[in-house]
Amino acid sequence: MLLEVDAVTKRFGGLTAVSAVSFGVAEGAVVGLIGPNGAGKTTLFNLIAGALPPSSGRIRFAGADITGEKPHRVCRRGLARTFQIVRPFGNLSVLDNVIVGAFTRTHDRRTAYDEAERLLETTGLGRWRDAAARSLPIGLRKRLEVARALATRPQLLLLDEVMNGLNPTELTEMMALIRSLNGAGTTILLIEHVMAAVMNLCSRIVVIHHGEKVAEAAPREIAHDPRVIEAYLGEAYLIE
Ligand SMILES: Nc1ncnc2c1ncn2[C@@H]1O[C@H](COP(=O)(O)OP(=O)(O)O)[C@@H](O)[C@H]1O
Ligand SMILES: [Mg+2]
């Protein structure tokens, strides 16, 4: 397993946001993390990426124990994430935002610039390279989040609701982007409410509810698990 989450718990005062959750992400996989609002999904990302230390449990990445490591260390190991609430440097141009990401891997300006230009093409942001990040509509800001994360050259990419709020065209483009990144060798763990996208992209799905893992299976099984559908997803998520 590239990523191993082992009995990870996170408490905020009296609230247990994540409760003894264990799962693995195999190298090359696209794994989905789903569950209702407040289930603990983003907290789990914060724990994996080092933004928060777990209360207990271990996290291993690429054979190393990364439990409690700071985000920049985790990032240097090849684990990058996007934020559910997109947070680009608003005053900087789209290109400069991605260059900032690239500087985590190189100190050479030319290399960082070339890498950022390449990633803007990959993510379809080339036309907006000189626009201020804050001027972008949400669909493009989501892509910028992905481009910034990619600039750190991740082996594992954590995507937190990058398809939320996208129109159908943007959604199709984002799915194609995720598929092509995965095809090029990036392992992906994604939190997503757009069930058609989750079902299409993921080889495995982990279901979280009230901080606990309640199911883990292939998309087909999840889609047909009445327990998951009724108790955790609701009828609106029925996809067939
Ligand atoms: N930094 C924090 N301090 C206190 N409570 C938090 C913090 N972050 C998240 N929570 C709480 O943890 C629970 C899980 O939140 P979150 O992980 O954001 O859920 P999800 O991403 O699945 O919607 C919620 O009850 C939320 O209010
Ligand atoms: Mg969340």
Side-chain angles (χ1 to χ4, degrees), residues 19-72:
S19 183
V21 168
S22 299
F23 66 95
V25 177
E27 187 161 2
V30 180
V31 174
L33 195 56
I34 66 173
N37 274 327
K41 305 181 297 297
T42 295
T43 302
L44 206 38
F45 268 23
N46 285 331
L47 298 172
I48 294 167
L52 292 170
S55 305
S56 62
R58 309 305 299 176
I59 297 161
R60 275 177 287 274
F61 176 66
D65 190 328
I66 61 165
T67 315
E69 268 190 15
K70 294 285 175 233
H72 68 277

Side-chain angles (χ1 to χ4, degrees), residues 41-42 84 160-161 191:
K41 305 181 297 297
T42 295
Q84 181 175 356
D160 196 345
E161 299 198 21
I191 296 173

Side-chain angles (χ1 to χ4, degrees), residues 59-225:
I59 297 161
R60 275 177 287 274
F61 176 66
D65 190 328
I66 61 165
T67 315
E69 268 190 15
K70 294 285 175 233
H72 68 277
R73 305 273 322 251
V74 175
C75 184
R76 282 204 71 81
R77 289 183 183 275
L79 198 164
R81 60 92 61 93
T82 67
F83 290 87
Q84 181 175 356
I85 313 294
V86 295
R87 37 167 126 163
F89 300 107
N91 290 325
L92 294 188
S93 71
V94 166
L95 177 65
D96 285 341
N97 262 278
V98 182
I99 289 176
V100 170
F103 273 131
T104 64
R105 288 290 171 190
T106 178
H107 292 298
D108 181 62
R109 295 176 64 88
R110 188 73 227 176
T111 307
Y113 179 92
D114 289 347
E115 177 87 346
E117 287 277 19
R118 187 181 65 75
L119 285 170
L120 290 188
E121 291 311 313
T122 308
T123 53
L125 285 169
R127 277 174 57 197
W128 291 275
R129 65 195 286 287
D130 298 319
R134 76 153 52 87
S135 73
L136 295 182
I138 188 68
L140 296 177
R141 256 187 278 169
K142 296 262 177 186
R143 279 196 234 174
L144 178 54
E145 273 288 299
V146 176
R148 283 204 308 163
L150 286 174
T152 69
R153 296 185 204 158
Q155 194 180 356
L156 172 64
L157 181 59
L158 310 183
L159 300 172
D160 196 345
E161 299 198 21
V162 289
M163 291 178 249
N164 203 19
L166 301 190
N167 69 38
T169 307
E170 292 169 334
L171 189 63
T172 307
E173 288 169 356
M174 186 61 87
M175 285 175 64
L177 174 59
I178 291 169
R179 249 192 223 104
S180 95
L181 293 174
N182 183 242
T186 310
T187 303
I188 293 171
L189 175 62
L190 57 88
I191 296 173
E192 203 47 73
H193 283 298
V194 181
M195 286 310 288
V198 174
M199 294 292 165
N200 263 294
L201 289 169
C202 299
S203 45
R204 277 192 93 65
I205 294 177
V206 174
V207 185
I208 307 282
H209 188 51
H210 291 322
E212 292 178 15
K213 184 174 98 171
V214 294
E216 178 181 351
R220 293 264 128 206
E221 296 167 59
I222 293 286
H224 292 102
D225 184 334

